[in-house]
């Protein structure tokens, strides 16, 4: 009976986990992409830069799937680019900018203007310019990257709304596996509990009644 009870508990946890995963991805998906919260860029500096994103391993296609970046400028044309962390650091060395950390906390770094507007340097793996929505579609590759948002002319003051999305093809599979496993554990656990209760009941009925 103990094993059956444990199986029921694990089954319930798996079913709840699967349902939670399905609900979460449904609430976050947009056009097939699981989308991050919007990053509201509002800096008096010359650029807004994400923290370094390190991608490793052969799981990238199955793990991230297709990646999408979007930005909408507020008050003028913006530049949206992806570069290696090393190249971006060299281009933005000494440039006043906003940095977004892993905990979604923004910090301002002092400095001056960039040497050239962003479109005039060849460091970008992918880039786009416009007032928005500006969009980049990417296939993840191993490496260390940052996303950079700037005014198209390289001027001071960057105001934009930015988000990222990935198709995350494993999410649906993980949710399905959790649900199937949960229902199997639930069924097996309940059956084990019922059989154990019936067996205990038969043993109780067979016990001899003590005489006076």
């Amino acid at each position: 009976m103990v094993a059956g009870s444990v199986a029921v508990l694990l089954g319930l946890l798996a079913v709840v986990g699967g349902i939670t995963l399905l609900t979460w991805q449904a609430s976050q998906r947009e056009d097939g992409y699981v989308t991050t919260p919007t990053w509201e860029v509002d800096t008096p500096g010359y650029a807004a830069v994400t923290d370094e994103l390190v991608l490793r391993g052969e799981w990238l296609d199955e793990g991230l799937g297709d990646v999408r970046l979007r930005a909408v400028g507020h008050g003028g044309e913006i530049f949206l680019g992806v570069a290696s962390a090393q190249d971006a650091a060299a281009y933005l060395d000494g440039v006043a900018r906003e940095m977004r950390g892993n905990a979604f906390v923004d910090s301002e770094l002092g400095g001056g203007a960039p040497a050239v507007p962003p479109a005039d340097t060849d460091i970008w793996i992918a880039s786009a310019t416009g007032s928005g929505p500006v969009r980049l579609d990417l296939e993840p590759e191993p490496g260390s990257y940052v996303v950079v948002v700037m005014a198209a002319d390289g001027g001071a003051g960057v105001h934009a709304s930015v988000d990222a999305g990935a198709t995350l093809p494993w999410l649906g599979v993980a949710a399905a596996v959790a649900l199937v496993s949960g229902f199997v554990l639930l069924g097996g656990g309940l059956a084990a509990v019922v059989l154990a209760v019936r067996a205990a009941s038969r043993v109780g009925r067979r016990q001899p009644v003590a005489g006076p």
Side-chain angles (χ1 to χ4, degrees):
M1 184 181 296
V2 173
S5 299
V6 171
V8 169
L9 178 60
L10 292 176
L12 284 172
L13 290 174
V15 169
V16 170
I19 292 173
T20 300
L21 195 56
L22 284 174
T23 303
W24 178 81
Q25 73 157 338
S27 67
Q28 297 297 315
R29 278 197 186 276
E30 181 183 343
D31 299 329
Y33 291 83
V34 177
T35 306
T36 65
T38 301
W39 175 22
E40 296 295 346
V41 176
D42 185 17
T43 175
Y46 295 87
V49 188
T50 64
D51 198 16
E52 180 179 350
L53 176 63
V54 180
L55 302 180
R56 295 193 182 98
E58 300 178 355
W59 55 270
L60 293 175
D61 287 341
E62 295 78 11
L64 283 176
D66 296 326
V67 175
R68 175 188 69 190
L69 298 175
R70 297 184 301 184
V72 177
H74 306 309
E77 286 198 337
I78 60 168
F79 173 91
L80 176 66
V82 176
S84 72
Q86 183 177 359
D87 288 343
Y91 170 62
L92 295 172
D93 184 33
V95 174
R97 60 194 184 275
E98 176 183 288
M99 296 292 299
R100 163 142 287 204
N102 282 332
F104 302 109
V105 176
D106 300 330
S107 58
E108 294 286 343
L109 299 181
V116 296
D120 290 349
T121 181
D122 61 357
I123 67 169
W124 309 109
I125 296 167
S127 63
T129 301
S131 57
V134 176
R135 173 170 171 162
L136 296 178
D137 292 295
L138 306 162
E139 292 185 4
E141 297 288 344
S144 300
Y145 307 99
V146 295
V147 177
V148 180
V149 186
M150 302 178 68
D153 61 2
V158 184
H159 312 285
S161 299
V162 185
D163 66 35
T167 53
L168 302 182
W170 59 270
L171 268 182
V173 175
V177 169
L179 284 172
V180 171
S181 301
F183 284 125
V184 169
L185 284 170
L186 270 176
L190 287 172
V193 169
V194 170
L195 290 174
V197 170
R198 287 180 177 176
S201 176
R202 291 194 198 99
V203 171
R205 287 198 299 268
R206 292 172 182 172
Q207 289 295 329
V209 179

